[in-house]
Amino acid sequence: MSDNPVSNSPVLENPVLENPVSEKPEFSVNPEMPANPEDLSTNLIQVKDVTKKYRLGHNEVEVLHGINLEIKDGEFVSIMGQSGSGKTTLMNIIGMLDRPTGGSILIKDIDITKKSQKELVEFRRRTVGFVFQQFHLIPSLTAYENVALPLVFAGDKDDGAVASALERVGLAHRMHHKPVELSGGEQQRVAIARAVVMKPKILLADEPTGALDANTGSMIISLLKSLAGEVTVIMVTHNKELAAYSDRIVYLKDGNVAV
Amino acid sequence: MRLHMLVLKDISRRKTKLGFAVLSVVIAAAAIVAVVTTFSAATEGLYEESNKFGANIIVRPEVTTIPLVAGSTSIGSLSMGENYIEESEIPKIYTIKNNSNLAVVAPRLYGVAELGNSSVVIMGVDPEKEKNLKSWWEVQGHWITAETPEKTEVMVGSDIAGPLGLKEGSPITLSQGNLSIDAVVAGVIESTGGNEDGYVILPLAASQYLLSKEGKVSSLEVRALCNDCPVEEMSRQIEGVFPGLEARSMSQIVDTEMAVVEHTQSSAMAVSIITLLVSTLTVASTMLASVNEKLKEIGIMRAVGASNAQVVSMLFFEGAIIGIIGGGIGFAIGTAASSIAAPMLVSVSPSPMWEILPLVAGICILTGMVASVIPAKRALGIDPAEVLRSV
């Protein structure tokens, strides 16, 4: 196995991309992040020999077989692969929604797999944001309240962050609507606003366009692209065209990074 | 927005389902409130009733009963002691320290006589004093008056008047051994539910003559007119001036009745507590179903930064809300139910017991929170990665 897994990872050149939402970030997710991808040099995330096993009845199934991966600050990385290749599992482990069976995940050189449950809660609150295929908004809450959820759980005051996040995704005028009153694309934009409202370092998007039509999907990808730089975006997708929007594509096959 | 607002919004979305949990708390709270309110009113009514009749004291001979045994076989019993009070000694009662509290001292003589072909219990009384004690008796006819040489008047209880066809003005003859008295029925006492329903009541002197107990009485009924007077102490004072007599205060009798009331109350309360336990299980079951329905939402909350403590506190808050709503409605229904049922069951009209409202609310909140423990454990066991992947 290579010492530098990044060099072994297949990388696609970033295609010319029109940003339908915003040419430049309207607010900085993290002021320390370089705005220009060319300035990227620091590895924010290091995935080292990560394995994941699940128990299915009496059998044990290994989903990830020693994954190695490095992702730079502000980078937009797509993870592709066939169903069952371990894409979502890897993403959940990077976001510490799930713990690896072996190996380590370093964020800014700190091994988060060694963190306590309490520290992981804080990690999920302030360092990562999640976007899911099915949006996963709370139906009883308005768009504004859904975006405010991370602030509520973190005990932070809303000093305009919620409105700013909704404005960033172009939904300031729909903030008092409940999910059922929003289109699929609008719901996903609310979910993205919720994911970035705490100004995390990492945005994890699992098939964010999977439940949307092609045009709406492109808008969502453009939105994620506009956020990259301010925040490191890791997107799981099946769609090569959408993956082409990212800075780099990592292929997973049978629980390994495909070479 | 705060955590509790999240819970309230969620409750408002699932009103119907949580309604069943609230309903079970309502039933338990209503049962407890109805039992407590009804029996508290019954207890209060019992004491009020005893006070209304002047905290009476009954004075009678102290009789010791000794069982007679031959070998291992019982052959009866032997009563020892004087069975009557000497009428001449009655004035001694006015020598007690609290004599100013003695409103009425009414002598009574009990015995059995023949009336036609029937045996009846007769009760000799001082008509004037007895009327003071039993002013609530409804008499068809009139109260007996002082004995006149040519005619003895009697009153009969309703249980005797009916079968024997007696009414005001009916002539009767009471006999005992070789002695007899011709009398006329002055009145029939309407049923009181007491022993007097089966008595023939006649002037004391006539009863003493008939029973050959001149100068003797069976007991004294004492009416002590006072507010919070020391009835127990007065009983002791009476026993002090009448050696060999037993003075039993009505409060002791009330206490005996109270024991019956308390026993009934305990049984009813036991049923209420069982209802409360069933209610706890119902709330727990509803909330567990609710958690199972909200697996995805709980997973989302965990993903966006909810800690275990926050998830648990939200469920506990939900349980407390169910408890407080159920407790409040249950209090109202229990109070209304007792105001309808108590007059029929224990002949009292209870007032709302606002003072128990905080306790009922506290019990119901606790019920809701205890019911949240199992759902909370279930919520903590949720793997957010798994539930978000599976939906």
Side-chain angles (χ1 to χ4, degrees):
Chain A
M1 186 172 286
S2 167
D3 289 335
N4 184 357
V6 176
S7 62
N8 291 333
S9 303
V11 176
L12 293 183
E13 289 297 321
N14 186 21
V16 177
L17 175 71
E18 281 186 13
N19 183 347
V21 177
S22 173
E23 286 297 327
K24 292 209 168 187
E26 291 176 13
F27 72 104
S28 173
V29 171
N30 185 339
E32 296 166 10
M33 292 286 182
N36 187 343
E38 290 177 5
D39 297 336
L40 297 176
S41 58
T42 316
N43 283 328
L44 174 67
I45 304 166
Q46 296 174 71
V47 179
K48 292 188 171 178
D49 295 323
V50 164
T51 59
K52 180 66 183 178
K53 293 176 184 172
Y54 289 108
R55 183 164 287 282
L56 289 175
H58 295 295
N59 301 321
E60 201 170 57
V61 179
E62 188 166 275
V63 181
L64 299 177
H65 310 288
I67 297 282
N68 286 286
L69 185 65
E70 291 182 350
I71 297 171
K72 295 187 171 86
D73 262 353
E75 199 175 7
F76 183 2
V77 176
S78 289
I79 300 176
M80 293 192 71
Q82 292 183 328
S83 294
S85 59
K87 307 182 297 292
T88 298
T89 302
L90 176 60
M91 197 195 75
N92 285 339
I93 287 175
I94 292 172
M96 289 311 288
L97 270 186
D98 207 351
R99 283 181 182 269
T101 308
S104 55
I105 305 285
L106 275 59
I107 307 291
K108 287 272 188 188
D109 297 323
I110 296 170
D111 186 356
I112 56 169
T113 62
K114 301 284 194 293
K115 298 289 186 186
S116 67
Q117 195 61 40
K118 195 176 174 184
E119 288 170 321
L120 288 182
V121 168
E122 201 60 22
F123 171 76
R124 283 199 293 268
R125 282 175 182 169
R126 302 191 184 280
T127 308
V128 293
F130 288 94
V131 177
F132 303 97
Q133 180 179 351
Q134 297 296 335
F135 326 133
H136 290 335
L137 301 177
I138 307 284
S140 58
L141 304 180
T142 63
Y144 186 96
E145 290 163 341
N146 266 288
V147 175
L149 267 185
L151 293 166
V152 172
F153 292 128
D156 290 359
K157 280 189 175 177
D158 175 16
D159 50 0
V162 176
S164 178
L166 280 166
E167 200 173 319
R168 178 62 195 276
V169 298
L171 283 178
H173 63 296
R174 306 279 276 164
M175 65 170 63
H176 298 304
H177 289 258
K178 289 190 173 176
V180 70
E181 299 162 344
L182 301 173
S183 69
E186 287 174 325
Q187 289 187 53
Q188 193 60 300
R189 281 148 70 190
V190 171
I192 292 171
R194 182 180 65 189
V196 300
V197 72
M198 295 294 289
K199 299 181 179 172
K201 290 182 185 302
I202 303 163
L203 179 61
L204 300 167
D206 187 5
E207 299 273 12
T209 63
L212 303 173
D213 60 58
N215 285 339
T216 312
S218 295
M219 282 183 65
I220 294 299
I221 295 298
S222 297
L223 179 59
L224 293 176
K225 178 69 180 172
S226 74
L227 292 168
E230 303 168 61
V231 58
T232 302
V233 180
I234 302 173
M235 177 176 73
V236 167
T237 182
H238 281 101
N239 190 318
K240 282 185 180 174
E241 288 178 18
L242 297 179
Y245 281 60
S246 57
D247 301 323
R248 182 158 59 107
I249 299 175
V250 175
Y251 288 97
L252 287 190
K253 186 177 181 185
D254 299 331
N256 290 299
V257 175
V259 179
Chain B
M1 187 171 63
R2 292 174 182 275
L3 275 182
H4 68 268
M5 284 305 297
L6 280 177
V7 178
L8 294 178
K9 279 176 175 283
D10 186 53
I11 288 175
S12 72
R13 182 167 62 101
R14 296 182 297 119
K15 286 191 282 283
T16 308
K17 284 179 182 171
L18 292 180
F20 286 106
V22 171
L23 184 64
S24 68
V25 178
V26 166
I27 292 168
I32 291 173
V33 170
V35 166
V36 170
T37 306
T38 299
F39 284 96
S40 294
T43 305
E44 203 171 306
L46 207 54
Y47 279 119
E48 274 179 11
E49 198 70 9
S50 69
N51 287 337
K52 187 172 126 186
F53 300 135
N56 285 347
I57 300 168
I58 298 173
V59 183
R60 57 190 167 197
E62 190 173 26
V63 177
T64 304
T65 303
I66 300 171
L68 299 177
V69 180
S72 58
T73 306
S74 173
I75 56 171
S77 62
L78 177 65
S79 293
M80 296 180 67
E82 178 55 69
N83 288 317
Y84 299 97
I85 302 168
E86 291 297 331
E87 193 176 0
S88 60
E89 296 204 344
I90 294 175
K92 282 165 65 178
I93 197 170
Y94 294 102
T95 64
I96 67 169
K97 186 181 169 189
N98 283 89
N99 56 7
S100 60
N101 295 125
L102 296 171
V104 180
V105 177
R108 284 180 176 179
L109 176 64
Y110 296 97
V112 177
E114 301 299 320
L115 174 56
N117 294 325
S118 305
S119 291
V120 294
V121 176
I122 63 170
M123 182 172 82
V125 301
D126 180 317
E128 292 305 316
K129 291 177 177 174
E130 198 65 29
K131 194 173 181 180
N132 277 338
L133 278 181
K134 308 293 183 185
S135 56
W136 69 92
W137 281 1
E138 297 286 338
V139 178
Q140 290 174 1
H142 62 267
W143 268 79
I144 53 177
T145 53
E147 193 176 6
T148 56
E150 64 275 12
K151 186 178 67 178
T152 297
E153 288 186 328
V154 300
M155 294 189 299
V156 291
S158 57
D159 289 353
I160 291 178
L164 297 183
L166 301 177
K167 58 185 181 180
E168 182 186 7
S170 299
I172 61 170
T173 300
L174 291 166
S175 58
Q176 166 56 258
N178 298 324
L179 300 175
S180 65
I181 296 175
D182 291 326
V184 62
V185 176
V188 176
I189 304 167
E190 287 185 9
S191 178
T192 64
N195 292 336
E196 53 269 17
D197 285 352
Y199 289 171
V200 173
I201 299 168
L202 67 166
L204 183 62
S207 65
Q208 288 170 331
Y209 165 74
L210 188 61
L211 298 170
S212 302
K213 299 293 179 190
E214 282 84 357
K216 297 184 185 302
V217 299
S218 303
S219 65
L220 301 175
E221 280 230 348
V222 179
R223 183 178 179 188
L225 256 191
C226 53
N227 186 24
D228 292 333
C229 56
V231 177
E232 300 292 338
E233 174 58 26
M234 287 174 71
S235 298
R236 279 191 288 275
Q237 290 171 10
I238 292 169
E239 286 179 347
V241 297
F242 290 119
L245 295 190
E246 174 189 69
R248 195 159 177 245
S249 70
M250 280 294 285
S251 66
Q252 286 170 294
I253 297 166
V254 168
D255 286 347
T256 305
E257 291 183 24
M258 277 307 301
V260 175
V261 170
E262 282 169 7
H263 178 73
T264 312
Q265 184 179 13
S266 300
S267 304
M269 191 54 80
V271 172
S272 299
I273 289 170
I274 291 168
T275 310
L276 190 66
L277 292 175
V278 172
S279 159
T280 306
L281 291 175
T282 307
V283 175
S285 164
T286 306
M287 290 188 66
L288 193 58
S290 162
V291 166
N292 286 332
E293 282 175 14
K294 293 195 302 179
L295 288 180
K296 186 185 83 174
E297 286 181 24
I298 292 169
I300 296 167
M301 290 178 187
R302 299 273 293 276
V304 301
S307 65
N308 285 346
Q310 285 170 324
V311 171
V312 169
S313 67
M314 287 170 73
L315 286 168
F316 274 37
F317 184 64
E318 183 176 320
I321 292 288
I322 290 170
I324 191 92
I325 294 173
I329 298 173
F331 179 85
I333 292 176
T335 300
S338 66
S339 72
I340 295 168
M344 291 186 278
L345 295 175
V346 288
S347 305
V348 290
S349 297
S351 305
M353 293 184 70
W354 297 109
E355 64 274 20
I356 66 167
L357 180 56
L359 181 67
V360 171
I363 290 172
C364 291
I365 289 172
L366 193 64
T367 300
M369 293 179 76
V370 167
S372 306
V373 170
I374 294 172
K377 286 184 78 171
R378 168 78 177 110
L380 291 182
I382 291 173
D383 177 354
E386 191 177 325
V387 296
L388 294 176
R389 185 169 41 226
S390 64
V391 288

